[in-house]
Amino acid sequence: MKKNRPLVLGLLALVLGGALTVAAVVASQRFSNVLLISRATRLSLLQREHGQGALATLLFTHSYWVILLGLALLTLGFYLLHRHNLQSERGARLSRLLLNDYRPLVILLAATLVFSALSSRFLTVGNFTNILKQISHYAILAAGVYFAILLGGIDISVGSVLAFSGASAALIIARMPDSPWSAPLAVLAALLVGLIGGFFNGFFIARFSLQPMIVTLASLSIFRGATLVLIGGAAVSIAGTRYAGASLFNALGQQTLLGGYLPVPILIMAAVYLVVWYLLNRTAFGRHMYAIGGNEEAALLSGINVVRTKLLAYTASGLMAGIAGIIITARVASATPTAGQSYEMDAIAAVVIGGTSLRGGEGRVLYTIVGALIIGMLNNIQTLVGVDSYYQTIIKGGVILLAVLLDARSQRK
Amino acid sequence: MDKLLLRMEGISKAFPGVQALDEASLNVYAGEVMALLGENGAGKSTMMKVLTGVYQKDAGTITLDGQEVTFHNARQAQQGGVAIIHQELNLVPGLRVYENVFLGQELRGRLGLDRAGMVARTGELLARMRVKIDPRQRVRELSIAQQQMVEIAKALLLDARVIVMDEPTDALPDEEVDSLFSVIDELRQQGKAIVYISHRLDEIFRICDRATVLRDGRFMGEMPVSQLTMDSLIQMLVGRPLDQHFPYASPRASEVALAVDGLTSHPVKDISFTLHTGEVLGVTGLVGAGRTELAQALFGLRPWQAGSATLQGAPYHPKSPREAIARGLYYMTEDRKRNGLVMGMDVRANITLSSLRALRGRLGLDLKQERRRVAAYIEDLRIKTPSMRQRARNLSGGNQQKVVLSRALMTRPRVLILDEPTRGIDVGAKQEIYQLILDLKAQGTAVMMISSEMQEVLGMSDRLLVLHEGRLMGQIARDSASQEKIMGLILGPGSAQGAGEATA
Ligand SMILES: Nc1ncnc2c1ncn2[C@@H]1O[C@H](COP(=O)(O)OP(=O)(O)OP(=O)(O)O)[C@@H](O)[C@H]1O
Ligand SMILES: [Mg+2]
């Protein structure tokens, strides 16, 4: 009986915590769709509504604290259940699975729950479509960065490569105002620029065994500079109907399909991940990448062409930057010299929150999209409840730190 | 003396899908060397990791000198007087001997570090073990055995009472084993309790006082070594009597698979030999004789400065392992941890890593076929693992070795170079591997086997190459091979017997 105490207490805490959270959310959302509003606003809202029960009033005026209490109880409940799990082998295995193997999914689920409690505008189809559209470009960058991190390296040049490829595309559209062929040409150019940028990185990293961090730091500078040389300090706008190729090109960032529910960027992102997943899990190339990231010497002795595999992986990362460059340029219908600046941070964060080991050799690419989604949701909810954008940056840094910490802890036995 | 120093009682430890230890126990007295024996995956290393706080036990008690203890990490264990000498040494190669010994607990003088004091104290410790190593030497200049002694000196500095050695002679050449054993003897004299793990059973009779046997994580028995014979020991280990003879069949008439002419690839100099299909060619020599380097040159890992070769009649000069494998030559590494396994990948991916080309299906890799073939290897080689999705790092040492071997076999090589194939493998599995080599031979594979174990090379080979300082000292046919003759060649031209040279 004593053995089951954590189980009983845990379930109790879960039920109580859940009830409190739901009650607070329901009560507060009768008046407002945002939970985090000041007490004064709450009281003035209450005065307009008459005939509320005493309990609902209490819950509403103190909903902030009630929800915190509820969430604390929920956390305690999960912790106690985890403790209970550790008593049996199967339970311990379940706990470990949830905390390590499925961690990104668990975080996604928890974040969805908490965020829906914070704002009634969060959990709607429209908002999620919006989030997915927001994350599409750096999720695509992240797929490329995933390759680099899987190999035990890193690619911090993706933001600059993105800018250069976007600028090339915009320039072609603008310089060929009369030809409708400018759109496909611009797409091709952007992809080609991405390939070249990635090949450049891969060549130095693979052929001369240089540090990926330093090589991509160099190309971060080189491609940002090249963008400035190409289009100068001002933006190249391709908005409107002045240019024959513009509307076709811009559709890649703005068009929606299926009656407005499926923006093209989301479709492109899904396609990219499908291909990448296939490469990683169903081809020799993917296995080779995992092997090189895990033990390069063993990979070499197994007959893997290490140099070629690395070269291809970094080139692919550049290609992803090219694709993301198209999407961003098309979405805002202009190319700016500062486009994509610091996007590498979001991409790396998505990979890390997605549970990929920074030591290389271990990870799942689909969790990278989960990681990107978590970051997107975090940005979204902060905007919804009105957190200052300066603070948002700080909070994002904290979340990245937390993810790395969790990764390091799960590596220990 | 006769004081019960370490008592481990009813120790259990489970990993997902594996009960690694099941109420196992171990008692070690002061001033004795206790052998901890068992097959691959029996739980020996796990038992010692539980003792030293690397893993936490699920059940059981550990008593040290009458006091119950639980260590939560290796550092606590060290301070509690338990030291473990791992097979992978934990020294910093660039630092000097005394710096390594005092790492983390440097003596301080008035002006920074007290170097003289540390050097003197290290010298004292080494003298107590009766070994001659200069405390000021850099660790990277030392042999493996000498490095182990530095580790032991480190343990002595911390006043360790229990010293655990997990397969210390695994990568040790015979001549260095002797010096390790005299140190162990010295430690025994000083009243230390020593736990000694090894798969080389002859060593048990040479150095150990008593033996504890584990099987499948359970305690099978404990007895004085003096009451054991090789046969009864094996019976206890494997659970059945085992034929200890090397299986052998003379090669059938065959053709040349690999012919090497004047190969020079630093440090290997001017080596010529032929290797036939269906033949086992043994390669032996001291450490540093260039055995592994010769194999690596043939595998495309080292540039050739001179010489040529033909493989199955066609010119052969590989620039990379990939090219060598494509031509049908495979080299199985001697160091599975460093360049054999990808520890984070599962057993399945490790086994098929060199053969993915053969698994190509219509839609990428044919995972079904992959599973089927991996399952066959797991069964054939009796790899002990809860599933083929288990990560390689979670397998016991011997089973990891079998995974590397499976990878080599799966490429169906025409020429297979095995570098210390039975390293860290238990007696039963050794026999299985010998049988496997015999099967390969019957199928017409040309096998080159590098081994430091004289008995093994003598027992398995049709012919022997003896190397000394990168040069080929001689080729000996099986009939005329004897331990004395080989030793003469191994030691080089300077030695008395070095003149005898026979060519097959
Ligand atoms: N970290 C781990 N995770 C999962 N299983 C493990 C882990 N460590 C050991 N095991 C399993 O526990 C069992 C005992 O392993 P252990 O390493 O103790 O064997 P051993 O007796 O040292 O064998 P060997 O002689 O081959 O070194 C094996 O089946 C092994 O696969
Ligand atoms: Mg072991």
Side-chain angles (χ1 to χ4, degrees):
Chain A
M1 210 50 237
K2 204 170 170 191
K3 205 177 151 193
N4 280 332
R5 200 139 91 209
L7 178 67
V8 176
L9 284 176
L11 287 176
L12 212 69
L14 279 188
V15 171
L16 201 63
L20 280 178
T21 315
V22 171
V25 170
V26 170
S28 70
Q29 290 186 349
R30 290 205 46 164
F31 305 100
S32 152
N33 47 30
V34 178
L35 187 71
L36 298 178
I37 48 176
S38 72
R39 233 176 103 80
T41 325
R42 277 161 203 274
L43 287 174
S44 73
L45 274 172
L46 262 187
Q47 272 156 17
R48 268 190 272 141
E49 291 264 346
H50 296 290
Q52 293 298 324
L55 182 64
T57 312
L58 186 75
L59 276 174
F60 177 61
T61 48
H62 293 86
S63 66
Y64 194 62
W65 296 109
V66 175
I67 207 165
L68 273 184
L69 183 69
L71 289 177
L73 276 173
L74 280 178
T75 315
L76 181 73
F78 278 115
Y79 174 72
L80 287 172
L81 282 187
H82 171 64
R83 280 265 305 274
H84 172 75
N85 269 346
L86 290 182
Q87 288 173 358
S88 74
E89 197 193 321
R90 271 187 40 210
R93 200 164 159 191
L94 182 73
S95 270
R96 206 172 11 240
L97 273 180
L98 289 179
L99 289 180
N100 289 341
D101 294 14
Y102 298 131
R103 186 169 61 221
L105 289 179
V106 172
I107 296 177
L108 182 72
L109 198 70
T112 311
L113 282 175
V114 174
F115 294 173
S116 330
L118 292 181
S119 166
S120 65
R121 280 183 297 175
F122 180 74
L123 198 63
T124 62
V125 175
N127 192 43
F128 262 79
T129 312
N130 190 26
I131 294 177
L132 283 172
K133 202 171 124 189
Q134 298 283 335
I135 68 166
S136 58
H137 57 274
Y138 66 82
I140 292 172
L141 287 182
V145 172
Y146 179 86
F147 283 172
I149 290 183
L150 185 61
L151 288 173
I154 191 93
D155 187 349
I156 58 171
S157 72
V158 286
S160 298
V161 175
L162 176 154
F164 192 46
S165 75
S168 314
L171 213 57
I172 287 177
I173 304 265
R175 290 280 164 82
M176 297 170 66
D178 306 320
S179 164
W181 287 105
S182 66
L185 213 60
V187 168
L188 275 182
L191 297 180
L192 198 67
V193 165
L195 279 175
I196 292 171
F199 185 86
F200 179 88
N201 286 331
F203 182 73
F204 285 100
I205 292 167
R207 189 68 189 75
F208 300 107
S209 304
L210 299 182
Q211 281 287 324
M213 182 65 147
I214 305 302
V215 172
T216 56
L217 182 65
S219 50
L220 174 142
S221 182
I222 292 171
F223 287 102
R224 182 65 62 192
T227 311
L228 282 163
V229 169
L230 194 65
I231 61 173
V236 178
S237 172
I238 50 169
T241 49
R242 260 176 305 156
Y243 310 109
S247 66
L248 188 57
F249 182 82
N250 292 343
L252 290 173
Q254 298 170 0
Q255 186 70 42
T256 57
L257 308 171
L258 299 181
Y261 277 116
L262 184 64
V264 171
I266 298 182
L267 190 68
I268 297 178
M269 171 175 78
V272 162
Y273 270 84
L274 201 68
V275 172
V276 168
W277 179 87
Y278 176 81
L279 277 178
L280 284 165
N281 293 287
R282 290 288 183 275
T283 67
F285 174 61
R287 286 283 175 85
H288 291 173
M289 276 200 281
Y290 278 100
I292 293 171
N295 184 344
E296 188 166 333
E297 233 181 305
L300 180 72
L301 261 70
S302 298
I304 292 171
N305 191 336
V306 175
V307 171
R308 198 188 63 171
T309 308
K310 281 187 170 180
L311 188 63
L312 281 176
Y314 281 96
T315 307
S317 179
L319 180 64
M320 302 297 171
I323 297 174
I326 295 171
I327 293 180
I328 287 198
T329 310
R331 178 185 302 160
V332 296
S334 92
T336 61
T338 54
Q341 216 156 39
S342 87
Y343 279 15
E344 61 276 355
M345 282 304 135
D346 283 325
I348 294 169
V351 177
V352 173
I353 292 172
T356 305
S357 164
L358 285 168
R359 278 162 297 275
E362 287 173 48
R364 296 189 204 179
V365 73
L366 291 189
Y367 281 173
T368 295
I369 215 171
V370 173
L373 195 56
I374 291 171
I375 298 177
M377 279 165 40
L378 193 67
N379 291 340
N380 178 261
I381 190 70
Q382 294 183 88
T383 311
L384 283 184
V385 300
V387 176
D388 189 324
S389 76
Y390 296 163
Y391 284 100
Q392 289 191 21
T393 315
I394 296 178
I395 290 174
K396 187 152 66 191
V399 169
I400 294 175
L401 207 58
L402 204 69
V404 180
L405 196 71
L406 281 173
D407 175 47
R409 277 190 62 102
S410 72
Q411 287 301 313
R412 285 191 318 196
K413 277 161 253 168
Chain B
M1 277 304 224
D2 286 323
K3 185 172 60 159
L4 185 57
L5 206 51
L6 172 67
R7 213 174 95 101
M8 298 178 77
E9 200 52 55
I11 307 286
S12 295
K13 173 77 196 171
F15 296 109
V18 192
Q19 187 71 37
L21 291 173
D22 189 1
E23 307 201 346
S25 52
L26 177 71
N27 295 299
V28 195
Y29 288 85
E32 77 164 352
V33 181
M34 169 60 96
L36 183 56
L37 305 172
E39 300 182 280
N40 294 131
K44 305 177 295 291
S45 299
T46 305
M47 186 90 165
M48 293 302 102
K49 284 177 183 166
V50 165
L51 171 63
T52 51
V54 177
Y55 297 143
Q56 300 305 310
K57 57 185 185 295
D58 297 340
T61 53
I62 303 175
T63 321
L64 197 63
D65 212 356
Q67 276 192 332
E68 190 173 335
V69 292
T70 307
F71 300 123
H72 295 284
N73 53 50
R75 203 178 164 77
Q76 276 182 13
Q78 264 183 3
Q79 281 156 357
V82 180
I84 184 161
I85 316 288
H86 283 287
Q87 188 187 313
E88 319 78 62
L89 298 163
N90 293 317
L91 299 174
V92 187
L95 291 184
R96 292 168 202 284
V97 170
Y98 77 88
E99 287 169 330
N100 266 292
V101 170
F102 277 90
L103 199 65
Q105 45 215 336
E106 289 80 2
L107 296 182
R108 304 201 176 275
R110 258 182 311 154
L111 298 165
L113 296 180
D114 177 11
R115 271 174 232 287
M118 289 193 286
V119 171
R121 185 92 179 84
T122 305
E124 246 169 67
L125 292 170
L126 291 169
R128 230 163 82 194
M129 292 155 53
R130 297 182 200 285
V131 295
K132 293 195 186 65
I133 300 174
D134 181 358
R136 287 189 203 81
Q137 234 179 322
R138 287 197 194 277
V139 161
R140 81 159 73 82
E141 295 160 7
L142 302 179
S143 72
I144 300 179
Q146 284 176 319
Q147 294 188 20
Q148 281 175 340
M149 311 213 169
V150 175
E151 288 251 30
I152 297 172
K154 211 169 154 176
L156 291 181
L157 178 73
L158 290 161
D159 206 24
R161 287 166 295 171
V162 177
I163 300 176
V164 178
M165 301 189 188
D166 196 347
E167 303 192 40
T169 54
D170 190 49
L172 222 52
D174 286 341
E175 61 278 11
E176 295 196 7
V177 171
D178 293 338
S179 44
L180 176 69
F181 281 3
S182 53
V183 169
I184 293 179
D185 211 31
E186 198 55 45
L187 295 173
R188 168 165 43 200
Q189 305 284 329
Q190 294 169 18
K192 308 286 182 202
I194 295 158
V195 181
Y196 187 87
I197 300 176
S198 178
H199 288 293
R200 297 188 175 179
L201 298 184
D202 51 319
E203 294 174 356
I204 308 305
F205 292 95
R206 278 175 65 190
I207 192 72
C208 299
D209 302 302
R210 293 191 307 136
T212 296
V213 177
L214 297 181
R215 195 187 303 154
D216 293 331
R218 277 189 293 274
F219 174 82
M220 294 312 285
E222 174 198 282
M223 65 202 48
V225 169
S226 57
Q227 286 176 22
L228 283 170
T229 62
M230 189 60 103
D231 287 336
S232 65
L233 179 58
I234 290 174
Q235 169 93 37
M236 265 183 83
L237 280 175
V238 193
R240 64 194 148 86
L242 196 70
D243 183 10
Q244 269 255 81
H245 291 99
F246 293 96
Y248 179 77
S250 14
R252 292 175 300 172
S254 60
E255 59 221 62
V256 174
L258 175 71
V260 177
D261 186 23
L263 174 62
T264 298
S265 164
H266 182 79
V268 171
K269 299 177 203 82
D270 191 23
I271 290 198
S272 307
F273 68 91
T274 54
L275 173 61
H276 297 84
T277 58
E279 177 189 44
V280 176
L281 179 65
V283 182
T284 188
L286 299 180
V287 167
R291 298 168 301 179
T292 293
E293 288 79 0
L294 171 63
Q296 288 178 341
L298 290 172
F299 194 47
L301 277 166
R302 291 170 172 272
W304 300 8
Q305 280 88 45
S308 61
T310 58
L311 185 67
Q312 294 186 290
Y316 176 71
H317 186 168
K319 299 286 190 302
S320 68
R322 196 170 52 98
E323 203 182 323
I325 294 170
R327 290 289 304 273
L329 184 143
Y330 203 98
Y331 164 72
M332 182 185 142
T333 172
E334 61 176 330
D335 193 339
R336 58 177 174 256
K337 286 225 168 63
R338 196 164 64 87
N339 53 24
L341 290 166
V342 185
M343 290 295 180
M345 282 198 334
D346 57 18
V347 170
R348 174 194 60 156
N350 265 295
I351 289 181
T352 56
L353 195 54
S354 292
S355 321
L356 292 173
R357 194 181 287 267
L359 291 173
R360 215 173 270 167
R362 256 185 312 143
L363 284 168
L365 292 177
D366 183 349
L367 298 185
K368 219 185 212 165
Q369 194 198 348
E370 179 180 40
R371 274 197 297 276
R372 207 175 55 235
R373 300 200 47 190
V374 168
Y377 280 109
I378 288 177
E379 193 178 318
D380 285 356
L381 272 71
R382 293 213 249 147
I383 301 173
K384 196 176 160 192
T385 172
S387 90
M388 65 176 72
R389 302 304 303 270
Q390 179 78 315
R391 289 179 190 215
R393 85 161 63 89
N394 293 337
L395 258 52
S396 81
N399 286 300
Q400 290 177 341
Q401 184 78 350
K402 292 183 186 175
V403 169
V404 183
L405 188 59
S406 306
R407 179 195 300 158
L409 295 180
M410 195 170 168
T411 64
R412 299 184 178 283
R414 304 300 304 151
V415 176
L416 177 60
I417 307 179
L418 300 170
D419 200 349
E420 307 284 359
T422 60
R423 172 171 289 176
I425 280 199
D426 68 47
V427 264
K430 255 183 204 168
Q431 284 296 323
E432 288 165 20
I433 287 185
Y434 297 147
Q435 193 56 52
L436 200 86
I437 293 176
L438 209 65
D439 292 348
L440 288 171
K441 189 168 152 178
Q443 291 160 21
T445 309
V447 179
M448 194 166 143
M449 180 164 112
I450 301 172
S451 174
S452 310
E453 267 192 62
M454 189 68 79
Q455 293 305 326
E456 181 175 285
V457 196
L458 276 173
M460 295 302 300
S461 312
D462 299 307
R463 273 185 314 141
L464 268 174
L465 298 183
V466 184
L467 300 187
H468 175 79
E469 290 182 354
R471 287 187 189 280
L472 183 59
M473 298 314 293
Q475 303 193 21
I476 309 177
R478 180 182 180 88
D479 316 322
S480 56
S482 71
Q483 198 141 348
E484 294 72 45
K485 194 162 175 178
I486 298 173
M487 279 320 287
L489 290 175
I490 277 184
L491 294 173
S495 79
Q497 298 152 302
E501 186 165 323
T503 310

